[in-house]
Amino acid sequence: MKTIKVMLNVNNEKVTLQVKPYETLLETLRERLSLTGAKESCSLGSCGACTVLVNGTPMRSCLILTPEVEGASITTIEGLKNGEKLHPLQQAFMEKGAVQCGFCTSGMILTAKALLDRNKKPEKRDIVKTMSSNICRCTGYKKIIEAVEETSKK
Amino acid sequence: MDENLKIVGKRVIRSDSYAKVTGGALYTADLKLPGMLYAKVLRSPYPHAKILNIDVSKALKVPGVKAAISGFDAYGVKWGVFRYTQDHAMLPTDKVRYIGEDVAAVAAVDEESAIEALSLIKVEYEPLEAVFDPVEAMKDTAPQIHEQYKNNINIHIHIEVGDVDKAMAKAYIVREDTFKAKGEAYAMMEPYAVVASYANGYLDLWMPNAGPHVRAKALSNLLKLPLNRVRVRHINSGGAFGGRSEVAPGDLVASLLSIKSGRPVKLVLTREENAMCSRQVHDIIATVKTGMKKDGTIVAKEYKTIYDGGAYSSTGPIATSIPYYVYEECYRLPNVRYDGYRVFTNKGIRGMYGCHGRAFLAGNEAQMDLMAKELGLDPVEVRLKNGLTAGELTATKSKIISCGLKDTIIQAAEKSDFKKKWKKHTRNKGIGMGCVAIMCGFPMGFRSGSSCYVKINDDGQVTLITGMVDNGQGNESLAVQVASEVLGIPMDDINLVNADTEVTNLDPGSYSQAAAYVGANAVKAACEDARKKIIAIASKKLGVPEEEIDLKDRVAYSVKTPDKRMPISWITREAFFKGEPIVGTGSFFPDIDLEREWVSKPEGQMAGTYSFGTSVAEIEIDEETGKIKVPKFIAAHDCGRPINPMAVEGQMEGSVGQAGIATIFEGNMWYKGFLLNPDLLEYKVPLACDMPDIETIIVSSNDPKGPFGAKEGGLTIRMNAYSAIACAFTNATGMLFEELPLTPDNVLKLLEKNKGGKR
Amino acid sequence: MILPKFDYKKARTIEEALELYNKHDGNAFYLAGGTDLVPLIKLRLLQPKVIIDLKGIDGLKDIKKINNSLVVGPNITLFELKQNPFIKDYFPCLFESLEATSCKTLQMRGTIGGNILQNTRCLQYNKSLEWRTARGFCLKMGGKVCNVVPNSKSCFSNYCGDNAPSLMTIDAKAKLVSAKGERTVRLEKLFSEDGRSPFTIKPGEILKEIIIPLKKTKGAYEKLTVRGSIDYPLVGVAVTVKKDAAVVAVTGIGPSPHLYEIKEINEKSINEVADWAYEDARPVLNAVLTPLYRKKMVPVLIKRAFKRIGAGGGR
Ligand SMILES: Cc1cc2nc3c(=O)[nH]c(=O)nc-3n(C[C@H](O)[C@H](O)[C@H](O)COP(=O)(O)OP(=O)(O)OC[C@H]3O[C@@H](n4cnc5c(N)ncnc54)[C@H](O)[C@@H]3O)c2cc1C
Ligand code: SF4
Ligand code: FES
Ligand code: FES
């Protein structure tokens, strides 16, 4: 099968790739670009561990074909820091103890980022609803919600 | 006990969290080694069948395929955690015993070729009659799953204390009920993965595990390799909850493929494979008979509990015992008879679970409430009356060292206004309480203890070397925090080398609640050893007696004349000059009765200490739909001293989801040997919107032997949250649950039955 | 989990999409958000030769008011649609069902067209190839019998779309286009009532527009799930009230939504419809709660929806 040329802007870096037509964005990020922060947990869209931002919108990268997002800007967890400075959400997740095994963490932080970029001061209800797109098996979510709330208050 | 703690007891940022929030933390599936191959496993389509032949030759002809194996390429060894449970070949050659069992595997340059090759492996089976229900399996007419276990009874635990029959006869009231619960899925977010790399006669492995040392031992047996040639390396783990405790078939598969191909091999299971073929949780049927005095004192308990064990022993004897023990460690049971049966069925392997035993535990607690109600007593008082206290012995003669049970009950009851709400609940609203105790570590022979090494490096920074493993609970950070306290060196300056069988020493692993009590105690001892050496040099250099010196913020100083001080880095260099670099070693072995054996001698000291906890849940039942809502949950846990309260809370909150909300959501569904919900869509892991308002209460009982008084961080809630929900259900409806989970259909059926029963 | 091999094509116009479809002789699937399609392909339930991405077709992404109708392009995401002021104002039932669909992240990717045309589901169907091979293929996979209802020659898979039922209650129509031209049908006509192949849409036909008459309505959507997010409906009930009349649609049980009309709303007529819908519902053990329970919930949710509409200002 012929590969397809795809241009992406990944974490503010332009990349041009030859991908398989049936390659998911998650595979491209993890296997081709060694950005392993996005995780594969269910692979069927049920959990959100693979969430990345596509043009600022959170998306389950396990359900997206890379050729679909030709030309898009992709943000992964690796691209969230500003130099050495952590994104406020990363800082809050650490400080609030919202991270246990860490497998859901990148998806959670990116989902939260998209929310706060859209709506600087969401109500707690909105936060809970938005974060209910992703599964965490460890934390019981309390500290995750607190971390997002805390960041939104800053 | 030193009350001037600098960092222990503080809400510190976990040392592992930076890597996790930046995406830098590596998990097994993230690894890529030069020349690495991708493995795929061919699995049994039958629940029970004789293997007549396996032919992998065609698979080997697929371009890109570098190795193909089956059980015939293994060494004929069967693994068992105990001598008497050696029944698991991991890759069977005689017969398959569950759908999804590993039968053969290939390794290829990419996943596509591996998948193609799998379809070319030819296996001839002769299907056998299968059995899926443990009660059926115990019958004489049932098919035998293993030759050596008659009536498919894998383990029978019999415990007999006092005179149960006499006490029952004398009891004021007696009640007997049977409770069932569906097995749960661990549903750790990371599906099982392994990388095996065999080179130069050494096998290196990375996989999420809860004890690298036991894992390496099992693999050295299975592969007939000397133990020093099997090295289980450190890697982050995306959750375990008991499901990563033991060697997995995939470990053997990847190892064999790597040995055959001479290249590193990665195997990553899909979510469905992870649910069907790694580990599952036991389905349980528990019959609980209780005799009580008029004042609510428990005089006798009689139990028959059947555990659906799936196809292999796994941690069978432990799994068959634990639900009972965590109960007897909580309540005074003067007369008790426990018969626990673990029965083989043609389903996936069942292992220990952080929330193991919900039918048994929730059944006990809910029944107790119903009896209390009948006697006109209050559940809080009944629990206080029967609860054990420090210094007492459990039914099987294990001493309670420190005990905050009473405090957890009282505080949880007060915070929730329990007594009033329990008495005056409105229709279909209820409140319930569940208590439990947890052993911190249990007998594991010479592996019950832990050792640690610490070295102070030339710039005064520290490397800590411990076998402790972290599955997400925060054990790594715990070790660093304890070291920081003892050495007076900030956590940031402490590097950790852990859970790597090549460098670290034995540790019981993270499945017996031993990390804080045993592992961290060894860390503390090692650091104290190093501390002494630092202080000895400081004392000479500063000219102050050793007793006067403390370490803080990278500095050794005199407590009396604080300006007499010097950086620890200078002291370290001084030590290097002397040719005696500062290193410390330490170990901890809990005071347990090593004669104690799960089946043959269930008596004696079980653990170094016990933690205690109480959960309180409030529920509301929608009468029309049967849906239960849990608006409020209060969890109180006696963890000894919390090393990092934030981490302890995190464990408790996680437990409210995994055990509490699971009570109304979670259960595996089966059609014969087919798991119907092996995914994250139809298996219902609670979401943020499903969580109650949670309040956590940490009760500090300061264990005399725990490191800085610590015991264990939060597991009690994992084993009593379901009891709180079940008791709240009883409070709301006046009924006992029959089967967990209490999904809306299940609840509505009970409500209708109740209506029918009452006029 | 990797995908099987297929080719990917992005169409710029409807004509191009139709042409591509023709060229691949039917072994092609249209792709919108992919949240329904991609999992099916991953599980090898579909084995396309080519995937034709419709997202590059500009005309499919508009919402327009034309005469007295709202014309919705199928590629509008559920999230965008939810935010359109007409929806909340005119069609509360649809607003609620959009809000109740899966989770927020998936709403941002899933389209309304894909949502309507999502495949039916069954616990014994949405599984890996290995699982299904071990179990033996059922009717919907080309086998001879149903695996849930032994000996049955019909498929009881459930249509779990949340929004088609709401759209039906507000008289939505679908405009379909193929090489042969366009046709417009009432939404309910899209459903074949055959679980094996749940839609009447012809091979290669593209859903071009969803046309909703712009009349203010009252309504509600009741959805039964275990969890508060992500889950598909185990039963879903859409009710729209227009003056004295009402339309009720039941989803989540069986291969197509069921539609009921009430000429004059009163307690009796509501009860009648509730009973009727109860009789009609034929759930089988292919979703996570028991069939009998799901059946019982049909009238319960219908009455609830009416009650809520009444409470919200009344009829
Ligand atoms: C975890 C999870 C939970 C979900 N929960 C729900 C839920 O609660 N309720 C619910 O309703 N859905 C749910 N869904 C299903 C799905 O996300 C939504 O239905 C979504 O709206 C589908 O839209 P899509 O654009 O992604 O469709 P796609 O997957 O792109 O397409 C679906 C089907 O429609 C066809 N198609 C799409 N557009 C056209 C067109 N213009 N013309 C012709 N054919 C077309 C495709 O060929 C395909 O067969 C869930 C999905 C997941 C993964
Ligand atoms: S209902 Fe029967 S035929 Fe239809 S998908 Fe399920 S098993 Fe197959
Ligand atoms: S891995 Fe993509 S949603 Fe679970
Ligand atoms: S921290 Fe483990 S899954 Fe969320």
Side-chain angles (χ1 to χ4, degrees):
Chain A
M1 193 121 345
K2 275 223 302 269
T3 56
I4 297 178
K5 185 170 154 191
V6 175
M7 284 197 289
L8 299 172
N9 185 322
V10 182
N11 299 330
N12 286 326
E13 216 174 283
K14 285 213 172 75
V15 288
T16 305
L17 303 163
Q18 287 290 337
V19 303
K20 296 177 281 186
Y22 50 94
E23 181 170 317
T24 63
L25 179 59
L26 181 61
E27 267 175 273
T28 303
L29 293 171
R30 288 179 56 83
E31 303 296 330
R32 266 183 219 285
L33 300 173
S34 291
L35 294 168
T36 55
K39 300 296 180 213
E40 181 169 25
S41 179
C42 73
S43 211
L44 295 173
S46 319
C47 76
C50 62
T51 304
V52 299
L53 304 184
V54 179
N55 297 328
T57 304
M59 289 194 186
R60 283 151 150 67
S61 62
C62 71
L63 298 186
I64 293 177
L65 306 176
T66 305
E68 280 184 81
V69 291
E70 153 71 21
S73 291
I74 314 284
T75 308
T76 72
I77 192 72
E78 290 91 344
L80 229 53
K81 271 194 310 187
N82 187 353
E84 279 308 293
K85 203 166 170 292
L86 291 179
H87 185 278
L89 275 163
Q90 292 175 310
Q91 191 66 33
F93 266 62
M94 285 174 54
E95 280 168 10
K96 286 277 157 188
V99 184
Q100 289 190 22
C101 82
F103 213 74
C104 70
T105 306
S106 66
M108 287 287 184
I109 290 179
L110 289 165
T111 305
K113 178 178 187 298
L115 170 69
L116 298 187
D117 288 349
R118 242 181 3 251
N119 177 0
K120 282 212 167 52
K121 301 267 172 241
E123 290 187 19
K124 184 169 177 187
R125 272 186 37 227
D126 298 331
I127 297 175
V128 171
K129 198 167 202 186
T130 303
M131 301 313 283
S132 295
S133 298
N134 299 40
I135 299 180
C136 171
R137 189 52 157 168
C138 302
T139 61
Y141 305 99
K142 187 174 174 188
K143 298 198 184 315
I144 291 178
I145 303 296
E146 281 171 6
V148 182
E149 259 188 303
E150 171 98 354
T151 312
S152 75
K153 283 188 190 129
K154 273 181 187 152
Chain B
M1 164 82 20
D2 179 7
E3 287 305 323
N4 290 324
L5 296 174
K6 296 158 211 128
I7 183 162
V8 158
K10 299 249 158 69
R11 304 173 76 84
V12 300
I13 291 179
R14 275 172 52 166
S15 60
D16 57 328
S17 53
Y18 182 87
K20 289 173 178 174
V21 299
T22 53
L26 288 180
Y27 300 77
T28 305
D30 302 337
L31 297 180
K32 227 186 228 174
L33 299 179
M36 190 170 81
L37 303 173
Y38 297 81
K40 279 274 161 193
V41 178
L42 184 71
R43 303 184 175 282
S44 166
Y46 295 105
H48 201 186
K50 228 191 223 161
I51 297 173
L52 302 177
N53 189 37
I54 304 176
D55 179 5
V56 299
S57 58
K58 282 218 177 95
L60 280 167
K61 297 209 176 94
V62 174
V65 169
K66 303 294 173 191
I69 54 116
S70 73
F72 295 105
D73 298 287
Y75 302 90
V77 180
K78 287 186 175 180
W79 168 253
V81 180
F82 299 86
R83 243 179 310 102
Y84 54 90
T85 62
Q86 290 172 350
D87 51 36
H88 197 181
M90 307 281 153
L91 276 167
T93 49
D94 56 347
K95 55 181 187 172
V96 289
R97 295 174 174 84
Y98 65 95
I99 294 166
E101 180 159 14
D102 305 55
V103 174
V106 297
V109 291
D110 55 37
E111 218 177 314
E112 284 166 33
S113 318
I115 291 174
E116 192 192 332
L118 271 198
S119 63
L120 297 174
I121 295 177
K122 262 186 72 183
V123 188
E124 285 171 60
Y125 295 102
E126 180 189 318
L128 300 169
E129 196 198 334
V131 60
F132 306 109
D133 176 73
V135 177
E136 289 300 312
M138 286 163 92
K139 291 183 179 157
D140 285 334
T141 49
Q144 275 280 118
I145 296 173
H146 293 269
E147 283 315 310
Q148 67 271 42
Y149 301 102
K150 198 167 171 307
N151 291 111
N152 294 313
I153 296 174
N154 165 221
I155 298 291
H156 174 202
I157 305 271
H158 177 70
I159 293 166
E160 181 100 36
V161 177
D163 189 337
V164 174
D165 301 326
K166 208 165 115 193
M168 281 290 181
K170 281 193 4 204
Y172 181 73
I173 49 169
V174 175
R175 232 198 117 98
E176 182 179 320
D177 300 285
T178 296
F179 305 94
K180 288 189 188 176
K182 291 199 170 91
E184 300 105 298
Y186 295 94
M188 53 295 255
M189 288 303 283
E190 178 192 20
Y192 167 89
V194 57
V195 172
S197 173
Y198 184 75
N200 312 316
Y202 287 82
L203 177 67
D204 286 304
L205 290 134
W206 295 260
M207 84 287 268
N209 70 77
H213 293 279
V214 262
R215 202 75 165 226
K217 175 66 188 153
L219 280 165
S220 107
N221 283 17
L222 282 162
L223 293 163
K224 294 206 167 157
L225 277 173
L227 186 52
N228 74 321
R229 305 226 151 201
V230 181
R231 302 183 293 207
V232 175
R233 300 301 202 177
H234 174 268
I235 190 82
N236 285 297
S237 156
F241 317 112
R244 305 283 192 231
S245 302
E246 276 181 276
V247 60
D251 299 348
L252 179 69
V253 166
S255 300
L256 287 174
L257 287 169
S258 180
I259 290 170
K260 274 253 155 126
S261 64
R263 289 165 69 163
V265 172
K266 174 154 90 178
L267 170 67
V268 182
L269 298 195
T270 64
R271 175 56 49 185
E272 187 184 286
E273 286 180 297
N274 188 67
M276 292 181 57
C277 324
S278 62
R279 282 285 187 287
Q280 293 153 9
V281 178
H282 297 76
D283 301 60
I284 298 175
I285 308 168
T287 301
V288 179
K289 186 174 174 186
T290 306
M292 238 183 211
K293 279 207 231 167
K294 204 172 175 180
D295 68 355
T297 309
I298 299 168
V299 291
K301 284 272 189 189
E302 187 176 358
Y303 297 115
K304 183 178 171 187
T305 308
I306 296 171
Y307 300 82
D308 183 342
Y312 293 97
S313 275
S314 182
T315 41
I318 306 174
T320 317
S321 309
I322 293 287
Y324 165 70
Y325 283 122
V326 297
Y327 204 66
E328 72 147 40
E329 289 153 7
C330 183
Y331 294 115
R332 207 172 294 114
L333 309 177
N335 302 286
V336 53
R337 181 180 299 133
Y338 175 80
D339 282 291
Y341 299 90
R342 188 175 188 276
V343 182
F344 287 128
T345 57
N346 292 110
K347 291 189 278 196
I349 323 156
R350 273 81 198 281
M352 276 300 293
Y353 184 40
C355 323
H356 180 54
R358 58 181 180 168
F360 179 90
L361 291 160
N364 265 287
E365 293 279 276
Q367 186 194 55
M368 183 153 78
D369 282 7
L370 211 57
M371 293 173 82
K373 194 175 155 198
E374 206 179 319
L375 294 171
L377 301 169
D378 166 277
V380 176
E381 294 309 319
V382 173
R383 282 171 177 76
L384 286 172
K385 181 180 292 278
N386 290 291
L388 287 171
T389 52
E392 283 190 82
L393 289 183
T394 68
T396 60
K397 304 218 162 35
S398 189
K399 191 170 164 193
I400 303 299
I401 309 296
S402 63
C403 181
L405 175 63
K406 191 174 152 195
D407 294 336
T408 64
I409 296 175
I410 290 174
Q411 290 188 35
E414 276 172 4
K415 260 270 157 62
S416 58
D417 199 8
F418 187 92
K419 289 188 175 190
K420 201 168 119 214
K421 284 188 183 152
W422 189 78
K423 228 188 216 148
K424 284 216 173 109
H425 68 95
T426 44
R427 201 171 132 92
N428 293 321
K429 282 193 181 179
I431 187 165
M433 174 181 278
C435 301
V436 85
I438 299 289
M439 53 279 258
C440 302
F442 51 57
M444 292 178 58
F446 64 89
R447 289 195 182 81
S448 315
S450 180
S451 312
C452 174
Y453 314 117
V454 57
K455 66 188 179 89
I456 317 289
N457 301 321
D458 37 347
D459 47 4
Q461 293 173 331
V462 174
T463 304
L464 198 63
I465 302 157
T466 161
M468 282 167 78
V469 58
D470 197 330
N471 294 121
Q473 314 91 322
N475 292 339
E476 292 182 357
S477 183
L478 172 83
V480 172
Q481 198 180 351
V482 164
S484 169
E485 178 70 44
V486 177
L487 295 170
I489 288 172
M491 284 175 74
D492 276 351
D493 287 7
I494 301 174
N495 295 5
L496 183 69
V497 177
N498 69 310
D500 178 325
T501 59
E502 177 78 341
V503 249
T504 65
N505 218 326
L506 275 182
D507 178 84
S510 68
Y511 36 76
S512 62
Q513 308 320 307
Y517 185 74
V518 180
N521 240 329
V523 169
K524 181 168 175 265
C527 293
E528 277 165 353
D529 188 28
R531 179 187 164 98
K532 258 193 224 129
K533 293 175 185 168
I534 296 170
I535 289 183
I537 297 174
S539 157
K540 267 201 202 122
K541 285 271 161 193
L542 296 174
V544 268
E546 289 185 9
E547 315 77 71
E548 230 176 76
I549 292 176
D550 196 9
L551 309 179
K552 196 176 159 180
D553 298 337
R554 306 189 180 97
V555 169
Y557 68 103
S558 156
V559 195
K560 284 202 184 132
T561 38
D563 45 338
K564 289 200 171 173
R565 54 195 284 134
M566 72 191 299
I568 292 174
S569 57
W570 294 9
I571 297 173
T572 316
R573 282 171 209 164
E574 188 64 26
F576 278 110
F577 268 122
K578 289 203 304 186
E580 288 170 13
I582 298 173
V583 292
T585 62
S587 62
F588 183 81
F589 203 93
D591 212 351
I592 49 183
D593 184 350
L594 291 175
E595 297 286 291
R596 193 178 173 121
E597 207 288 327
W598 300 94
V599 179
S600 60
K601 189 179 175 284
E603 193 182 285
Q605 191 64 29
M606 168 68 98
T609 194
Y610 298 95
S611 63
F612 296 86
T614 299
S615 283
V616 170
E618 290 182 43
I619 68 164
E620 291 169 19
I621 307 173
D622 181 327
E623 219 176 342
E624 282 180 330
T625 63
K627 265 190 105 160
I628 295 182
K629 261 207 252 162
V630 187
K632 179 90 197 162
F633 204 102
I634 292 173
H637 175 62
D638 158 27
C639 60
R641 180 198 295 274
I643 304 271
N644 179 357
M646 199 158 72
V648 175
E649 287 164 14
Q651 286 303 299
M652 294 162 76
E653 290 156 8
S655 302
V656 172
Q658 202 177 27
I661 303 308
T663 318
I664 57 174
F665 281 7
E666 293 186 30
N668 279 335
M669 291 175 67
W670 293 90
Y671 172 78
K672 298 196 169 163
F674 290 91
L675 187 55
L676 292 171
N677 53 352
D679 49 38
L680 291 176
L681 181 63
E682 303 303 355
Y683 186 86
K684 307 296 183 187
V685 174
L687 301 168
C689 56
D690 302 315
M691 294 300 293
D693 174 25
I694 304 174
E695 245 181 277
T696 52
I697 303 169
I698 293 177
V699 169
S700 219
S701 66
N702 257 338
D703 191 79
K705 288 220 177 118
F708 304 102
K711 299 201 279 201
E712 166 278 309
L715 196 85
T716 61
I717 308 307
R718 213 150 280 207
M719 289 186 115
N720 66 22
Y722 34 66
S723 306
I725 303 267
C727 289
F729 179 78
T730 298
N731 182 230
T733 62
M735 266 184 298
L736 294 171
F737 74 91
E738 289 173 8
E739 184 173 15
L740 300 180
L742 284 165
T743 43
D745 48 350
N746 184 0
V747 172
L748 200 70
K749 210 172 69 194
L750 289 171
L751 293 180
E752 282 168 1
K753 205 161 135 185
N754 206 21
K755 268 191 213 144
K758 277 191 207 151
R759 291 174 285 279
Chain C
M1 205 188 303
I2 58 169
L3 281 158
K5 287 195 175 94
F6 55 74
D7 205 357
Y8 169 89
K9 299 281 178 208
K10 192 164 205 155
R12 295 286 157 197
T13 60
I14 289 185
E15 293 69 36
E16 197 188 335
L18 293 170
E19 213 169 284
L20 278 165
Y21 189 94
N22 263 347
K23 218 166 87 192
H24 291 91
D25 206 22
N27 215 336
F29 285 92
Y30 294 129
L31 173 75
T35 58
D36 182 55
L37 194 65
V38 175
L40 292 171
I41 303 174
K42 277 197 172 172
L43 296 170
R44 273 66 180 167
L45 284 159
L46 304 174
Q47 304 256 18
K49 259 211 191 97
V50 60
I51 292 290
I52 304 162
D53 191 349
L54 303 178
K55 286 192 296 297
I57 304 176
D58 281 336
L60 299 183
K61 270 186 263 187
D62 300 334
I63 303 190
K64 288 175 293 202
K65 185 173 169 275
I66 300 180
N67 299 329
N68 263 333
S69 294
L70 192 66
V71 178
V72 178
N75 279 357
I76 301 278
T77 66
L78 303 176
F79 196 73
E80 288 163 342
L81 187 58
K82 198 168 79 178
Q83 256 131 352
N84 183 285
F86 279 118
I87 302 297
K88 198 167 184 176
D89 264 19
Y90 281 64
F91 315 118
C93 174
L94 179 59
F95 179 79
E96 285 189 19
S97 65
L98 287 165
E99 184 81 358
T101 305
S102 59
C103 61
K104 219 158 154 193
T105 299
L106 282 166
Q107 286 171 15
M108 292 179 177
R109 181 72 182 168
T111 64
I112 184 66
N115 188 272
I116 294 169
L117 293 171
Q118 64 180 281
N119 209 333
T120 53
R121 307 182 59 81
C122 164
L123 280 184
Q124 301 218 24
Y125 178 74
N126 299 91
K127 292 283 180 289
S128 72
L129 180 61
E130 293 73 24
W131 196 104
R132 291 180 292 114
T133 307
R135 178 75 182 96
F137 281 12
C138 72
L139 279 173
K140 193 169 162 70
M141 309 161 202
K144 294 231 151 50
V145 287
C146 169
N147 282 344
V148 175
V149 182
N151 302 321
S152 168
K153 294 279 183 206
S154 44
C155 166
F156 297 84
S157 56
N158 303 307
Y159 178 71
C160 296
D162 277 308
N163 302 296
S166 306
L167 285 164
M168 288 176 179
T169 66
I170 50 175
D171 293 323
K173 294 194 186 72
K175 186 185 272 180
L176 302 160
V177 49
S178 68
K180 292 200 193 102
E182 290 185 355
R183 62 178 180 128
T184 303
V185 296
R186 293 182 61 81
L187 206 57
E188 50 269 36
K189 295 281 181 232
L190 278 186
F191 292 88
S192 69
E193 308 207 2
D194 181 346
R196 289 173 303 180
S197 167
F199 300 103
T200 57
I201 190 164
K202 302 204 178 83
E205 253 183 332
I206 292 174
L207 173 60
K208 190 181 168 192
E209 283 169 3
I210 301 142
I211 306 158
I212 317 169
L214 258 183
K215 278 187 223 135
K216 278 212 176 187
T217 62
K218 294 200 168 77
Y221 183 69
E222 286 284 332
K223 174 172 177 176
L224 183 87
T225 54
V226 174
R227 299 184 291 193
S229 183
I230 299 181
D231 286 359
Y232 285 92
L234 291 155
V235 183
V237 169
V239 175
T240 291
V241 170
K242 289 166 240 168
K243 293 209 185 103
D244 290 339
V247 187
V248 176
V250 178
T251 188
I253 300 180
S256 67
H258 286 204
L259 204 54
Y260 305 90
E261 277 177 45
I262 294 182
K263 293 256 156 59
E264 200 174 315
I265 303 172
N266 52 46
E267 207 182 313
K268 185 162 160 269
S269 62
I270 293 173
N271 283 339
E272 271 169 15
V273 157
D275 289 347
W276 185 13
Y278 174 83
E279 289 304 325
D280 273 356
R282 299 234 183 295
V284 299
L285 220 176
N286 62 0
V288 294
L289 301 179
T290 60
L292 182 60
Y293 172 79
R294 286 166 59 220
K295 189 175 167 79
K296 281 183 181 164
M297 286 307 108
V298 172
V300 169
L301 297 191
I302 291 177
K303 288 178 200 167
R304 271 199 181 180
F306 274 105
K307 203 164 156 194
R308 229 161 26 86
I309 297 167
R315 35 189 194 257

